[in-house]
Amino acid sequence: MGLQRGGVAEEKTWPIEGVIEISFPDEETARVVYESVLYEHESVPYRRSRIEFLRDGNRIIIRFLARDNSALRGTLNSYLRWIKVAVDSLEV
Amino acid sequence: MGLQRGGVAEEKTWPIEGVIEISFPDEETARVVYESVLYEHESVPYRRSRIEFLRDGNRIIIRFLARDNSALRGTLNSYLRWIKVAVDSLEV
């Protein structure tokens, strides 16, 4: 199984892990978007998913570990939406 | 911005790639869920994202390549929803 905690076997939580990498045209754009989303990342506690939010040069990297599909969907939607908002604000 | 077609230079499409792996308790469960979602995978053409949908033992693997954030969100939501429907139908 993988993601189980506290020794309690959970029959219907199927662990999900993954990574999303977004390549920006340059490092400065990646940095601005990253810092804007980092603020949200640090503000919101996610109990059902574990997220690493990183930047490597011109790429933003989201690594995640979730206990179930719905938790993952909610989490990824939040991050992708925050990134979109940050990107849109650059384009104004 | 993102969604522009017809050979127009696309200044604001920032490529996204990634992978999601879902571990099921056993191979048989993974197989049943995989085959159910495979049907959807093969039925729906996605022009804005490229998806590889694979199974490896008890894991289902979704590899993706998207041209923009909104395309990715739509695509991932579809796959995660199909998986949820397949899983729920097993649990009845």
Side-chain angles (χ1 to χ4, degrees):
Chain A
M1 295 274 284
L3 186 64
Q4 282 187 351
R5 302 193 195 172
V8 180
E10 293 178 30
E11 227 185 321
K12 297 292 167 46
T13 54
W14 295 337
I16 304 178
E17 61 183 305
V19 62
I20 294 177
E21 298 191 5
I22 306 177
S23 301
F24 290 86
D26 54 70
E27 185 160 341
E28 176 62 12
T29 307
R31 196 187 56 75
V32 172
V33 172
Y34 178 76
E35 284 178 5
S36 151
V37 177
L38 188 62
Y39 176 83
E40 305 287 348
H41 171 72
E42 287 174 344
S43 310
V44 182
Y46 278 102
R47 288 179 221 102
R48 294 165 74 204
S49 307
R50 220 183 276 185
I51 303 280
E52 272 187 287
F53 185 68
L54 311 162
R55 184 176 68 84
D56 178 20
N58 70 328
R59 290 177 311 149
I60 288 180
I61 301 167
I62 308 168
R63 283 184 200 284
F64 46 88
L65 205 58
R67 306 179 63 139
D68 63 71
N69 202 309
S70 308
L72 179 66
R73 250 164 75 197
T75 301
L76 290 187
N77 278 333
S78 295
Y79 279 79
L80 295 175
R81 205 164 43 228
W82 291 332
I83 290 171
K84 183 173 170 18
V85 168
V87 164
D88 288 349
S89 75
L90 284 180
E91 292 176 355
V92 171
Chain B
M1 299 265 287
L3 186 64
Q4 284 183 348
R5 303 196 193 172
V8 180
E10 294 177 27
E11 224 184 325
K12 298 289 169 42
T13 52
W14 297 337
I16 305 177
E17 62 183 307
V19 62
I20 294 178
E21 298 192 3
I22 306 176
S23 300
F24 290 86
D26 54 68
E27 186 162 338
E28 175 62 11
T29 307
R31 197 186 56 73
V32 171
V33 172
Y34 178 75
E35 285 179 4
S36 151
V37 177
L38 188 62
Y39 176 82
E40 304 286 351
H41 171 71
E42 288 174 344
S43 310
V44 182
Y46 277 102
R47 291 181 218 99
R48 293 166 72 205
S49 307
R50 220 182 277 187
I51 304 280
E52 273 186 287
F53 185 69
L54 310 162
R55 184 177 67 83
D56 178 19
N58 71 328
R59 291 178 309 150
I60 287 178
I61 302 167
I62 307 169
R63 283 184 201 285
F64 47 88
L65 205 58
R67 305 178 64 138
D68 63 72
N69 200 310
S70 308
L72 180 66
R73 249 164 77 197
T75 300
L76 291 187
N77 278 333
S78 294
Y79 279 79
L80 295 174
R81 205 163 45 226
W82 292 331
I83 289 169
K84 183 172 171 19
V85 168
V87 164
D88 288 349
S89 75
L90 284 179
E91 290 175 357
V92 171

